[in-house]
Amino acid sequence: MPGQFKRIFDGQSLVGWHAVPRRLASIKPGGPQWDVTPERLAAIMAHTGRWTVEEGAICGRQEPAGSGLGAYLLSDEVYGDYELVFEAKPDWPADTGVVLRATDIGSQGFQVLMDHRKSGNIGGYYGNGIGGFHAINFALDVARDAAGRPTGLQLEDPATTIEPLTPLKRSLLSYAASGEDFLKTWHWGDWNEFRISIKGEVPVLSTTINGVKIAELDASTLPADLFDRKGVAALLGRRGRIALEVHDNDPIVGGDRWGYDAASRWRNLQIREF
């Protein structure tokens, strides 16, 4: 019923979900395709990740471990305007996220970032296959102990960044919490509650983590060179799937994007349609 939350994961099985390869999509609707060798394309299309249910949570990993090949887990159902609530617990490093209004291939839609890795952001947005816009207000790194073991998140030193945090990226958000506010609310090595909403034909998206509003994006304010409203509307429609992501590794970020046998975990997924 409208206005009521319903569970979209039963906590025991992947009924209602299906895995697909992390297929390469053009950066924007109608844009050029990625230049990839036939061998690389065949490898991509042959891998759908390792998706399991462990201790009541969906766990996503690369398969095989260390292959560098990602995947998506898609909801069987499609949704339009809604609030999505879940808890997440990613390993370090694990470049992951949740794609809203995703197409059947998973790699096209509005992504809420959970880039739990160097130069990553959590709670901001990326335009997967719909313009490549990157709307974030802070970038993350990890603190380590004397033995080199990760001990918690910290804000990234711009001098060491892999992906610079530019004024443009900051300007795309209609609301942005500071990186310091994010760090105060984030639970390292534990579960974190996300509340994500998407509403409107040209949508407004909002992200709240552990009760703290982190980011908001009004897609109607995005620059035309980053977001083609008509092209995106034609590609996505008003309703789409929810996609959970396991990222691939690339030459730029390499193993810092997804660690060997790293996992991202989601539990207690519920949706309330508007």
Side-chain angles (χ1 to χ4, degrees):
M1 293 177 60
Q4 294 187 349
F5 278 99
K6 67 175 183 179
R7 293 189 176 276
I8 56 173
F9 165 55
D10 64 18
Q12 301 177 11
S13 72
L14 294 178
V15 171
W17 298 82
H18 62 280
V20 297
R22 195 174 182 281
R23 188 181 305 180
L24 297 173
S26 60
I27 292 178
K28 61 183 179 179
Q33 298 297 312
W34 292 97
D35 185 14
V36 60
T37 66
E39 293 78 15
R40 176 66 176 175
L41 181 60
I44 290 170
M45 296 304 296
H47 289 75
T48 55
R50 174 157 45 110
W51 300 95
T52 58
V53 177
E54 301 171 20
E55 299 180 346
I58 296 173
C59 298
R61 297 179 175 87
Q62 293 182 351
E63 177 64 28
S67 66
L69 294 166
Y72 291 101
L73 188 71
L74 302 184
S75 63
D76 291 347
E77 293 192 39
V78 296
Y79 306 96
D81 294 353
Y82 56 88
E83 181 181 15
L84 176 66
V85 179
F86 59 88
E87 293 173 285
K89 182 182 175 183
D91 288 339
W92 180 276
D95 188 334
T96 180
V98 177
V99 185
L100 313 182
R101 294 189 186 170
T103 65
D104 290 347
I105 67 172
S107 54
Q108 297 160 315
F110 296 90
Q111 182 181 175
V112 179
L113 299 168
M114 289 199 299
D115 293 354
H116 198 243
R117 48 90 174 171
K118 181 170 176 55
S119 300
N121 175 272
I122 297 175
Y125 310 99
Y126 183 75
N128 275 52
I130 57 170
F133 58 83
H134 202 183
I136 63 172
N137 192 45
F138 55 86
L140 300 168
D141 204 343
V142 73
R144 298 180 184 273
D145 63 18
R149 294 182 293 259
T151 58
L153 294 182
Q154 62 183 17
L155 297 182
E156 183 179 53
D157 179 353
T160 69
T161 190
I162 302 170
E163 299 177 80
L165 177 60
T166 64
L168 174 61
K169 293 177 181 179
R170 296 176 185 270
S171 72
L172 300 180
L173 293 169
S174 55
Y175 176 86
S178 68
E180 289 80 5
D181 286 342
F182 167 80
L183 291 177
K184 288 176 185 177
T185 196
W186 183 258
H187 306 316
W188 169 260
D190 205 347
W191 293 97
N192 293 270
E193 183 193 67
F194 285 71
R195 288 184 173 268
I196 297 166
S197 64
I198 181 169
K199 189 173 185 179
E201 184 174 358
V202 183
V204 174
L205 296 94
S206 179
T207 307
T208 298
I209 301 176
N210 297 327
V212 176
K213 187 173 181 180
I214 299 299
E216 183 178 273
L217 172 73
D218 182 349
S220 70
T221 68
L222 290 171
D225 61 335
L226 293 179
F227 187 74
D228 173 4
R229 292 192 195 182
K230 290 183 178 180
V232 171
L235 176 67
L236 301 185
R238 186 63 189 271
R239 300 170 66 82
R241 305 187 189 279
I242 295 170
L244 309 181
E245 181 188 39
V246 168
H247 212 291
D248 57 357
N249 297 94
D250 56 69
I252 297 175
V253 183
D256 285 333
R257 193 178 289 279
W258 196 277
Y260 184 86
D261 209 30
S264 188
R265 303 166 185 83
W266 298 264
R267 71 181 185 186
N268 297 329
L269 290 94
Q270 302 178 66
I271 196 168
R272 177 172 66 93
E273 297 185 83
F274 301 134

